[in-house]
Structures are given as C-alpha cells and as structure tokens.
Amino acid sequence: MCANIMVAEDDAKQAELVRRYLEHEGHSVTVVVDGRAALEGVRHAEPDLLVLDVMMPRADGLDVVRILRAEGREVPVLMLTARSTEDDLLLGLDLGADDYMTKPFSPRELVARVRTLLRRHRRSAVPASAAVPAPASPPAPVPASASVPPAPLPAVPAVEAGAAAEDEVLSVGTLRIDPGRHEVSVEGTPVACTPGEFRILVAMATEPDRVFTRKRLLEELHGFDKYISGRTVDVHVMHLRKKIERTPRRPARLLTVFGVGYKLTDPAKNGRHAPSSSHSS
C-alpha cells in the first residue's frame, strides 16, 4: 500500500527520521517545515496522508487541521506533538485529526498507524458500485441445428468480508449515514461531522440499540487507548448531540446508559419524541 505522504515537521532530524522510515515502507514522502507550507502542499499536491507536527512556525498544526477541515479536505491527519495533556489531545481530535502521537514516539509504531489510516481512508473512499460486479454479457445465440450442451453459469465472484457493510447506507430512524460517501443527514438535512464523530456514528448505527462502552468506541476510533481516555469519547458524543439532537441536554437519539456507555436509537420506535436536528457544523 504505497502512498504520497506529506510530513510537516520543523525539526530537521525528526523529519529525516520519519521520512526514512516511511520511504522504507515504500511511500513517496515530501517534507515541509512550517504550517503555511503544509496548507499549500495539501491544497496543490493532495497527498494521501499528512503527518503534522503541532508546534511549527507561521501556523501551528492545530490551525492547519482546523483550516483543512473547514475547506472540506478529508486528507487523513496524523498529528505529532510534545504536548501530552488530555486537553491538547482532545482539541486535536475534535478539530478533525484522525490520530495522535506524543513525542518521543517509536518510528515503527508511526509506520503502523500510517498503514492503518491509509487502509481505513481507502476503504471509505471506495464507491458503492465498486463492490457490485458488473453483469456478465449474455452468451452468443446458438444455432438451432447445433447440438451444444448449455454452458455453465459463470461463477459469482466472492465478496470480501465487510465490503457490504462499507457500502451500505445505514439508517436509524431519520438519521442516515453513508459510509461510502462519508455523509450524514438528519431528516434529509446534511450534518457535518469530524472523522472521529463519523466513525462513532457508523459503529453505533451498524447495531442500533446496542450499548457501546467507552472502551469499545475508543477501539473504533483508533484501535488503541495508549494516549487517550474515555473522556475523548464523551467529547465526541457531546458534539454529536449538538448536531443530531434538537435539545442536546435531553437527547432522544444518542442516549447515555449510565455506568456502561452509549447507544444510538430510533426515537419513534422507542416512544420518544423524534426531534429535528440542530444541524450544527
């Protein structure tokens, strides 16, 4: 899985280390040394992934990811920082970063996380039609005089496990999530979600009314919980409620199951008032 990766890092030694490891993995790597160069690079080169340091001149990494998401650019972002407080981690994720590593870090772990981000992003970018094989052309007509046994039917290609789920539009009441298009709507009105919020919705909409623990949702977000906590999930849920609930303080769709976690439900099916979305961005 080779990709075009941009590394935005003003520490020359750190940038060279990351570049060497990523190129050894087979990726093409471009290095920039400040936030404005990172913005321009993403706008013009459209890399497959951005490795982004937080502390940089001209524009820091948080400003870069904020601007990119405001422009609607969905490039996966792996943020690097020497900051390790929970507030910094939550802010980066809330702005739309897909993953977060604190310095010092293992270059091999960085390569593994890059691989995971690329795999997730490419799966979500596959159009729905790609998973459905094109119908075979009808066989040529056989003359009536010919004595030819009927040709066997063509074998149906096997569908990779999980492909249908990736392309299926999920609905929970009037909430609709399209994983293939990375789109969310409530009662037909589009709702803008960060990548982390989107992953939570997809996981929960796949199994409506199932109670998801914070640990389970953290695994859905990143597949690890070394640098983040259950509070990360709480922040995502809080912001999702502002987007899909009429009254976020009295949610009817995204419910808290005290002492356990959260579940996504259809308000109408459960006898609740089905609120309209506030459609916050």
Side-chain angles (χ1 to χ4, degrees):
M1 185 184 295
C2 299
N4 295 316
I5 297 176
M6 177 168 292
V7 175
E9 169 65 75
D10 64 327
D11 184 318
K13 291 183 179 180
Q14 191 79 67
E16 176 63 15
L17 179 65
V18 172
R19 182 190 65 77
R20 288 207 326 261
Y21 270 83
L22 291 176
E23 287 183 346
H24 181 74
E25 186 80 357
H27 302 302
S28 174
V29 181
T30 301
V31 175
V32 296
V33 297
D34 64 68
R36 290 188 185 178
L39 283 170
E40 292 305 311
V42 172
R43 289 164 177 163
H44 291 97
E46 297 185 352
D48 299 307
L49 185 139
L50 174 62
V51 178
L52 179 65
D53 185 34
V54 170
M55 300 297 291
M56 287 191 300
R58 302 184 74 193
D60 69 21
L62 295 176
D63 285 334
V64 170
V65 73
R66 181 188 293 112
I67 293 169
L68 291 176
R69 296 310 186 221
E71 293 176 350
R73 301 182 189 277
E74 296 297 329
V75 57
V77 175
L78 170 59
M79 300 195 78
L80 308 176
T81 183
R83 301 171 177 173
S84 59
T85 67
E86 185 177 277
D87 288 344
D88 289 324
L89 302 183
L90 294 176
L91 179 57
L93 294 171
D94 186 52
L95 290 174
D98 297 87
D99 201 348
Y100 222 113
M101 295 187 71
T102 55
K103 299 178 181 179
F105 56 83
S106 162
R108 294 178 62 186
E109 183 180 358
L110 181 142
V111 169
R113 294 196 190 183
V114 164
R115 189 183 304 124
T116 299
L117 285 176
L118 289 171
R119 186 182 301 117
R120 287 174 177 169
H121 185 70
R122 288 178 177 178
R123 279 205 307 258
S124 66
V126 174
S129 59
V132 182
S137 301
V142 179
S145 59
S147 178
V148 180
L153 292 175
V156 178
V159 178
E160 182 181 354
E166 290 286 344
D167 297 325
E168 180 184 359
V169 176
L170 305 169
S171 298
V172 182
T174 58
L175 173 67
R176 289 172 57 85
I177 302 115
D178 188 334
R181 297 177 181 271
H182 205 279
E183 294 176 349
V184 178
S185 65
V186 178
E187 298 177 1
T189 301
V191 175
C193 292
T194 67
E197 294 165 358
F198 187 81
R199 286 179 195 154
I200 287 177
L201 281 181
V202 169
M204 300 184 78
T206 302
E207 300 182 75
D209 296 311
R210 172 187 168 180
V211 179
F212 286 78
T213 64
R214 289 175 176 81
K215 181 178 179 181
R216 173 65 182 83
L217 291 175
L218 279 173
E219 292 172 354
E220 191 65 35
L221 283 169
H222 302 292
F224 60 92
D225 60 1
K226 183 175 181 182
Y227 299 110
I228 53 180
S229 70
R231 175 62 179 158
T232 305
V233 172
D234 296 336
V235 170
H236 282 308
V237 168
M238 176 183 68
H239 288 183
L240 277 170
R241 284 173 172 164
K242 292 178 180 178
K243 299 176 180 185
I244 67 174
E245 305 276 9
R246 172 180 288 176
T247 308
R249 292 183 180 275
R250 296 193 299 276
R253 301 179 191 277
L254 185 47
L255 307 181
T256 299
V257 179
F258 292 101
V260 184
Y262 300 100
K263 70 177 181 178
L264 188 66
T265 189
D266 177 3
K269 185 180 72 172
N270 290 280
R272 295 171 177 262
H273 172 63
S276 299
S277 168
S278 59
H279 310 308
S280 303
S281 58

